[in-house]
């Protein structure tokens, strides 16, 4: 029998040593978990549709250098922090010094702050389900810490631009940790972009720890190039009466994986997860979401839409786990999928585990094609076939795109969607 | 304007239209009546270019141009308009966006400048008043959650906006109460023009009290079995389809 593949030992060695001592120690300690770490195969349940897209080589283990020009597709109307290959670039970043709000790169933390952070990093994620978070734990070169003191409100969205400069093979390990104190509020936009054509791994971890009454809106925009293999994980812990709202918009590539894990740990917490995925060519995109209703009286509402064209492949796996004490939970999960070509593939799997008896839980998943009757109706009014296809495809995700609360993100997504329509419906 | 010669059409191998002949001149209003299953809706759909139906023989020309050679959207741009019996709901596309896209497709085809959002909004508001639709409906999804009457009024609104040469109204009166019927009829009457032909497909004659046709044709078994003036419709109302040798369970009212 062939031995199960493991992560190459080349991935064990981080490049930079510029982090404060407590974080270096943490990284070193976590690196031991990477020794002989099994790589997912098609027999690995949570990677069964995606393992074939994962192609790691030893030359991709090298940390990409923190140099290059920061690119963004966003016209930024708020504050911004720019990272290149996982390392913050202060001269490209602009944000004010606000009372009650700490926005700081990991490298700039003093020993006490770094010590405190080292106790928190990784706590919001289930590493069993998001295996690759372990790699990030052992490899992050830098990161962004955001601490909102109780009652602090960030008055404009904070944009974190994570650009991967892949002029040579290598990898980057973006890391973000957000601690939102009681009743604090902020909107955070993470945009992942890339330049260069070499094979690159982008392995991200973002964590949100919402204390009682905190209200966080998170927007994640994946705009990286075809050559990037992106494996990201977001972990969210929610305290009493906190509110988390997530909007993920992603365009496909060689490999795209995002694990989003939310734990509703305090009573009355609310979470809303929206996601839009668009794939074309031979692209891939895999969203795995997981919501744990741990405490009673919490609400979750999840809506994901996938559109797959050509020979692309989109995957949605949505897990809801209602724990024994989570009475009066309300959970609603909905995943709709649109196949634009016969060669495209979409796999969707809702997973519900319910251990409480007084809950409201609904889920639905559909896979379909554009409706012929609707198309006929539109063209019978003189609208061209191409435009009719665009209108109907856009209609499929309009509801979610229009809910994104930051206009610059909506506009960027729309421009990219227009390119997608241009390519997908060019022969009509 | 419209000339149909020996038109045969099938769906899934079953022949529905079995040799239709019809001449409609500009300025005329023709009513096509007939029991359910006679082929009325098939005729409408075939003229509009629904590819579910296969034309197996015959010829259809609009002002001399072969209509059957044109794709649905090209027919629309040449002036064919079909008011659907069952207008389609399209959530996610607003009425405003839909109507403006359609109007601009036509304008572009005619070499006219496209209308911007503000210009179109003004026009759409005016026309929506004509069919008694609250302008708030423009922001909603196409026919989404509309009542039967609102859907039919939206069809007539589209005809008024697109100003077709040939308007085909498929069972436009079905599902309308008396007030809505009056509104829809007013809209259709506003469409009557010397350079426009109207083909009304209807099961019942009540619509014809409001929109008086120049000619009435009875369609049965995929063929036109009788043609006449408006008095034919009245006779059908009085005597049903039975006297023409046509079976119809639904004509008792």
């Amino acid at each position: 029998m062939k031995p199960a593949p493991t992560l190459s030992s080349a991935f064990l060695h981080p490049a930079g040593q510029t982090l404060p001592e407590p974080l270096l120690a943490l990284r070193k300690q976590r690196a031991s978990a990477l020794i002989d770490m099994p790589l997912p195969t098609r027999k690995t349940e949570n990677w069964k549709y995606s393992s074939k897209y994962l192609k790691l080589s030893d030359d991709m283990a090298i940390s990409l250098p923190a140099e290059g020009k920061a690119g963004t597709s966003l016209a930024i109307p708020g504050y911004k922090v720019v990272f290149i290959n996982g390392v913050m670039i202060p001269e490209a970043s602009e944000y004010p010094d606000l009372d009650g709000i700490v926005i700081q790169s990991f490298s700039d933390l003093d020993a006490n702050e770094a010590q405190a952070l080292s106790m928190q990093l990784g706590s919001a994620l289930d590493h069993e389900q998001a295996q690759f978070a372990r790699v990030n734990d052992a490899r992050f070169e830098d990161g962004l810490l955001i601490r909102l003191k109780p009652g602090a409100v960030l008055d404009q969205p904070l944009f974190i631009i994570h650009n991967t400069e892949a002029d040579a093979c290598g990898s980057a390990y973006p890391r973000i940790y957000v601690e939102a104190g009681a009743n604090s509020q902020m909107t955070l936009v993470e945009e992942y972009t890339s330049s260069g054509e070499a094979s690159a791994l982008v392995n991200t971890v973002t964590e949100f720890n919402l204390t009682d009454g905190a209200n966080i809106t998170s927007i994640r925009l994946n705009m990286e190039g075809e050559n990037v293999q992106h494996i990201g994980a977001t972990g969210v812990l929610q305290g009493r009466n906190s509110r988390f709202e997530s909007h993920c918009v992603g365009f496909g590539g060689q490999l795209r994986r995002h694990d989003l894990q939310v734990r509703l740990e305090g009573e009355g917490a609310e979470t809303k997860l929206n996601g839009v995925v668009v794939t074309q060519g031979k692209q891939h995109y895999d969203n795995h979401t997981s919501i744990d209703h741990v405490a009673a009286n919490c609400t979750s509402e999840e809506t994901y839409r996938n559109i797959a064209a050509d020979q692309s492949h989109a995957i949605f796996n949505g897990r809801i786990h209602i724990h024994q004490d989570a009475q009066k939970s309300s959970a609603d999960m909905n995943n709709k999928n649109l196949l634009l070509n016969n060669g495209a593939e979409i796999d969707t799997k809702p997973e519900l585990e319910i251990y409480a008896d007084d809950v409201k839980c609904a889920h639905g998943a559909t896979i379909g094609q554009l409706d012929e009757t609707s198309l006929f109706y539109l063209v019978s009014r003189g609208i061209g076939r191409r435009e009719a296809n665009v209108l109907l495809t856009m209609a499929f995700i309009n509801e979610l795109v229009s809910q994104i609360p930051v206009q610059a993100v909506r506009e960027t997504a729309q421009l990219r969607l227009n390119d997608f329509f241009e390519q997908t419906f060019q022969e009509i | 304007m419209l000339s149909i010669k020996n038109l045969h059409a099938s769906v899934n191998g079953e022949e529905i239209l079995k040799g239709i002949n019809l001449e409609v001149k500009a300025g005329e209003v023709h009513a096509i009546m007939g029991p359910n299953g006679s082929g009325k809706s098939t005729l409408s759909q075939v003229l509009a270019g629904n590819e579910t139906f296969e034309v197996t023989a015959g010829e259809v020309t609009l002002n001399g141009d072969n209509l059957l050679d044109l794709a649905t959207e090209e027919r629309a741009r040449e002036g064919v308009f079909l008011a659907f019996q069952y207008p389609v709901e399209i959530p996610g596309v607003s009425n405003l966006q839909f109507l403006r896209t359609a109007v601009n497709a036509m304008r572009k085809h005619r070499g006219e400048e496209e209308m911007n959002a503000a210009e179109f909004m003004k026009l759409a508001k005016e026309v929506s008043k004509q069919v008694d639709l609250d302008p708030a409906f423009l922001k909603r999804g196409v026919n989404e959650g509309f009542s039967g009457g609102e859907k039919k009024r939206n069809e007539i609104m589209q005809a008024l906006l697109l100003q077709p040469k040939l308007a085909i109204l498929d069972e436009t009166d079905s599902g309308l109460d008396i007030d809505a019927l009056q509104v829809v009829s007013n809209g259709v009457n506003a469409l009557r023009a010397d350079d426009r032909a109207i083909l009304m497909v209807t099961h019942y004659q009540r619509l014809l009290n409001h929109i008086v046709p120049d000619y009435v044709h009875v369609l049965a078994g995929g063929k036109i079995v009788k043609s006449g003036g408006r008095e034919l419709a009245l006779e059908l109302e009085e005597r049903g389809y039975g006297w023409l040798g046509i079976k119809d369970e639904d004509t008792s009212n």
Side-chain angles (χ1 to χ4, degrees):
Chain A
M1 214 172 91
K2 221 170 80 177
T6 55
L7 184 71
S8 162
S9 59
F11 279 89
L12 292 178
H13 309 292
Q17 302 295 322
T18 55
L19 287 167
E21 183 51 43
L23 293 175
L24 287 177
L26 173 76
R27 211 172 60 175
K28 197 170 168 194
Q29 178 219 326
R30 299 279 170 91
S32 60
L34 295 193
I35 298 168
D36 297 331
M37 179 183 126
L39 284 177
T41 66
R42 65 189 168 81
K43 290 183 180 155
T44 312
E45 183 58 28
N46 68 343
W47 271 81
K48 72 173 173 185
Y49 297 113
S50 297
S51 59
K52 65 179 173 189
Y53 297 94
L54 180 66
K55 295 200 169 92
L56 299 179
S57 58
D58 280 3
D59 51 358
M60 287 166 67
I62 301 158
S63 286
L64 288 162
E67 54 199 37
K69 215 170 115 269
T72 171
S73 51
L74 289 163
I76 293 175
Y79 308 133
K80 73 169 171 180
V81 178
V82 175
F83 281 76
I84 290 177
N85 297 332
V87 177
M88 183 170 156
I89 309 295
E91 55 273 22
S93 304
E94 283 173 52
Y95 56 92
D97 192 7
L98 293 164
D99 214 24
I101 298 176
V102 172
I103 302 173
Q104 216 166 10
S105 79
F106 287 3
S107 305
D108 286 342
L109 297 175
D110 67 28
N112 286 339
E113 289 165 331
Q115 181 63 36
L117 179 63
S118 72
M119 309 294 283
Q120 292 177 302
L121 280 183
S123 59
L125 270 175
D126 172 359
H127 288 62
E128 289 294 319
Q129 289 304 315
Q131 301 94 313
F132 282 87
R134 292 200 181 102
V135 183
N136 183 291
D137 283 349
R139 290 293 306 268
F140 65 91
E141 300 280 349
D142 194 3
L144 192 70
L145 170 67
I146 300 170
R147 282 196 205 279
L148 304 172
K149 298 229 167 84
V153 176
L154 192 64
D155 59 339
Q156 291 186 55
L158 175 70
F159 290 76
I160 304 177
I161 312 298
H162 270 295
N163 193 46
T164 298
E165 297 271 343
D167 292 327
C169 271
S171 43
Y173 302 90
R175 184 104 193 186
I176 298 167
Y177 189 87
V178 179
E179 186 182 66
N183 302 313
S184 62
Q185 281 183 42
M186 84 175 293
T187 296
L188 186 133
V189 181
E190 290 168 71
E191 190 199 22
Y192 293 92
T193 61
S194 73
S195 56
E197 303 294 325
S199 292
L201 168 70
V202 176
N203 175 214
T204 80
V205 172
T206 302
E207 292 173 272
F208 294 94
N209 190 345
L210 279 67
T211 317
D212 299 353
N215 185 346
I216 299 292
T217 297
S218 156
I219 301 171
R220 187 184 178 97
L221 193 53
N222 198 309
M223 309 281 277
E224 288 155 338
E226 204 79 32
N227 51 317
V228 169
Q229 297 179 57
H230 180 107
I231 307 175
T234 300
V236 185
L237 299 179
Q238 289 194 239
R240 190 179 283 265
N241 296 326
S242 64
R243 189 169 189 285
F244 182 74
E245 181 176 319
S246 158
H247 302 266
C248 291
V249 179
F251 295 88
Q254 187 193 326
L255 169 80
R256 295 282 186 272
R257 168 67 179 246
H258 185 223
D259 283 78
L260 174 53
Q261 304 173 354
V262 179
R263 282 179 70 86
L264 303 166
E265 296 186 325
E267 277 201 39
E270 274 178 46
T271 203
K272 174 177 171 142
L273 311 180
N274 284 355
V276 173
V277 159
V278 177
T279 57
Q280 64 189 122
K282 294 187 185 307
Q283 291 173 348
H284 163 266
Y285 212 113
D286 179 351
N287 269 309
H288 266 63
T289 69
S290 160
I291 303 171
D292 276 88
H293 281 256
V294 182
N297 288 309
C298 294
T299 304
S300 66
E301 194 187 317
E302 181 172 13
T303 314
Y304 268 68
R305 300 275 184 271
N306 293 320
I307 299 175
D310 307 325
Q311 292 93 48
S312 64
H313 189 180
I315 297 126
F316 173 78
N317 192 110
R319 174 177 167 273
I320 296 177
H321 183 156
I322 306 211
H323 295 238
Q324 203 172 352
D325 294 334
Q327 300 296 356
K328 307 274 181 208
S329 290
S330 169
D332 190 342
M333 174 167 61
N334 180 293
N335 170 237
K336 286 187 186 162
N337 299 287
L338 179 61
L339 283 169
L340 291 177
N341 300 87
N342 291 335
E345 177 176 344
I346 291 178
D347 296 282
T348 173
K349 185 172 154 206
E351 279 180 53
L352 272 69
E353 290 175 54
I354 303 173
Y355 299 100
D357 48 21
D358 183 13
V359 301
K360 243 173 51 192
C361 209
H363 69 94
T366 60
I367 302 183
Q369 293 175 296
L370 289 180
D371 179 43
E372 284 297 328
T373 314
S374 302
L375 268 176
F376 177 62
Y377 190 63
L378 294 177
V379 297
S380 79
R381 299 306 184 241
I383 296 172
R385 301 246 161 204
R386 200 190 152 275
E387 199 156 13
N389 275 285
V390 170
L391 278 174
L392 291 180
T393 307
M394 197 59 216
F396 187 74
I397 50 174
N398 233 347
E399 182 198 345
L400 293 181
V401 174
S402 63
Q403 280 182 49
I404 298 170
V406 177
Q407 190 184 349
V409 177
R410 285 197 303 274
E411 285 170 0
T412 301
Q414 188 64 58
L415 285 175
R416 183 73 178 256
L417 285 167
N418 292 348
D419 287 347
F420 168 78
F421 295 141
E422 193 66 44
Q423 290 154 21
T424 300
F425 299 122
Q426 64 183 348
E427 281 166 23
I428 292 170
Chain B
M1 172 172 291
L2 176 70
S3 170
I4 304 176
K5 289 195 178 111
N6 188 33
L7 180 65
H8 289 251
S10 317
V11 63
N12 300 327
E14 188 193 345
E15 189 165 61
I16 309 282
L17 300 184
K18 300 172 179 172
I20 303 259
N21 291 290
L22 183 66
E23 297 288 332
V24 181
K25 294 196 180 69
E28 292 177 351
V29 175
H30 288 235
I32 308 262
M33 301 186 68
N36 288 336
S38 59
K40 301 190 303 286
S41 277
T42 300
L43 176 62
S44 314
Q45 296 279 323
V46 165
L47 292 176
N50 189 338
E51 287 164 6
T52 314
F53 301 92
E54 193 196 348
V55 174
T56 50
E59 188 186 273
V60 180
T61 58
L62 184 72
N63 293 326
D65 296 330
N66 185 351
L67 209 57
L68 299 177
D69 277 353
L70 301 178
T72 305
E73 62 273 26
E74 292 166 331
R75 296 184 196 191
R77 291 170 195 161
E78 293 303 328
V80 176
F81 178 88
L82 169 64
F84 280 53
Q85 181 178 5
Y86 303 109
V88 185
E89 295 198 22
I90 312 179
V93 178
S94 78
N95 257 297
L96 194 64
Q97 188 183 14
F98 163 59
L99 297 172
R100 188 173 149 223
T101 308
V103 165
N104 277 338
M106 300 291 194
R107 292 178 73 93
K108 204 172 152 195
H109 177 71
R110 291 194 298 259
E112 295 167 13
E113 214 169 291
E114 296 186 20
M115 286 180 106
N116 67 33
E119 286 168 339
F120 183 75
M121 189 66 176
K122 196 162 163 263
L123 174 68
K125 276 185 174 167
E126 278 168 24
V127 179
S128 67
K129 267 186 223 147
Q130 225 179 318
V131 290
D132 200 23
L133 273 173
D134 183 339
F137 99 101
L138 290 167
K139 297 221 163 93
R140 285 160 58 186
V142 174
N143 292 319
E144 189 184 2
F146 283 27
S147 70
E150 285 171 328
K151 284 180 182 168
K152 295 299 172 79
R153 279 184 274 162
N154 194 14
E155 295 295 288
I156 301 306
M157 171 164 177
Q158 290 164 43
L160 290 165
L161 279 169
L162 297 173
Q163 294 284 315
K165 288 180 192 148
L166 170 68
I168 307 158
L169 312 176
D170 189 3
E171 305 278 4
T172 293
D173 53 329
S174 68
L176 296 184
D177 62 25
I178 292 293
D179 292 339
L181 184 65
Q182 189 64 51
V183 171
V184 164
S185 305
N186 290 346
V188 175
N189 282 323
L191 277 174
R192 293 184 89 142
D194 290 344
D195 57 353
R196 178 174 297 132
I198 297 177
L199 202 57
M200 276 192 297
V201 171
T202 180
H203 190 110
Y204 305 113
Q205 99 89 30
R206 69 169 189 163
L207 180 68
L208 309 184
N209 291 333
H210 299 269
I211 309 159
V212 180
D214 301 303
Y215 298 94
V216 175
H217 311 276
V218 179
L219 189 62
K223 283 183 172 179
I224 289 175
V225 294
K226 190 156 182 69
S227 296
R230 114 139 263 236
E231 67 288 349
L232 178 56
L234 297 170
E235 197 166 0
L236 282 171
E237 179 171 58
E238 211 164 285
R239 301 173 65 182
Y241 288 104
W243 64 283
L244 290 168
I246 303 164
K247 259 207 243 159
D248 178 36
E249 305 85 46
D250 293 345
T251 8
S252 45
N253 40 351

